[in-house]
Amino acid sequence: MSSTVSDDSFPRSDNALKSSLHRVFDSQIPNYGDYNLVCVTECGGTVSGQRVGIPVPTGQILGYRRRPVELVMAPFHRETLAPLGQPTTIDLTNLAYVAESAPETFDVATSTGRIVTFTLRSACTLGPEHGMALGQDEDAADLAEFLRELIGL
């Protein structure tokens, strides 16, 4: 799938868009090459029992690996593709649970009380006014399988 945009400062293809999102993730994570990356739509969550609003247009790049089991959530601005805030690392030492609350929608909770809810989509829409969409069918399916494996633990 090829993406088109109206502004020359934005990527014009899936490969360019993937490269831009890799730069966001790679700039924040020291061993970035060990992770598979998927763009997810964060639906909300809680920190210490308090509901946290998700500022639009925030997105999440979710990096995951099976060995050792680990998830890293790196927030980014969906329109500028710039990093936003600190990444969150979740591994077997701080994972409280993973649940699929609706088809392709997952809750990931940490032992510190943080819950992140996100939806996996076959295409990640970025900067809607720019018409960018990243196809990620296989990546989203692999992440869903990985999360369902964690649910089964």
Side-chain angles (χ1 to χ4, degrees), residues 17-44:
L17 191 51
K18 285 179 185 178
S19 293
S20 295
L21 293 177
H22 265 283
R23 277 193 300 278
V24 170
F25 190 84
D26 299 355
S27 68
Q28 299 178 75
I29 310 302
N31 53 347
Y32 57 83
D34 294 342
Y35 297 90
N36 297 318
L37 303 183
V38 177
C39 179
V40 301
T41 302
E42 189 171 350
C43 306

Side-chain angles (χ1 to χ4, degrees), residues 12-139:
R12 295 191 177 276
S13 71
D14 270 2
N15 287 338
L17 191 51
K18 285 179 185 178
S19 293
S20 295
L21 293 177
H22 265 283
R23 277 193 300 278
V24 170
F25 190 84
D26 299 355
S27 68
Q28 299 178 75
I29 310 302
N31 53 347
Y32 57 83
D34 294 342
Y35 297 90
N36 297 318
L37 303 183
V38 177
C39 179
V40 301
T41 302
E42 189 171 350
C43 306
T46 63
V47 176
S48 300
Q50 298 294 325
R51 183 92 179 135
V52 177
I54 302 303
V56 176
T58 300
Q60 291 279 343
I61 301 169
L62 200 150
Y64 67 100
R65 61 183 177 182
R66 288 180 163 82
R67 297 221 191 308
V69 171
E70 190 172 50
L71 298 167
V72 177
M73 295 182 181
F76 70 99
H77 192 283
R78 284 181 167 282
E79 292 173 359
T80 65
L81 306 182
L84 284 178
Q86 292 286 74
T88 300
T89 300
I90 302 168
D91 59 26
L92 293 179
T93 64
N94 67 347
L95 177 67
Y97 68 85
V98 177
E100 190 168 4
S101 54
E104 307 302 318
T105 298
F106 294 88
D107 300 321
V108 177
T110 68
S111 58
T112 61
R114 177 153 193 217
I115 302 168
V116 178
T117 301
F118 58 88
T119 301
L120 292 174
R121 303 196 189 284
S122 60
C124 183
T125 303
L126 302 164
E129 70 277 358
H130 300 289
M132 296 186 299
L134 172 64
Q136 57 180 18
D137 288 331
E138 293 177 15
D139 297 324

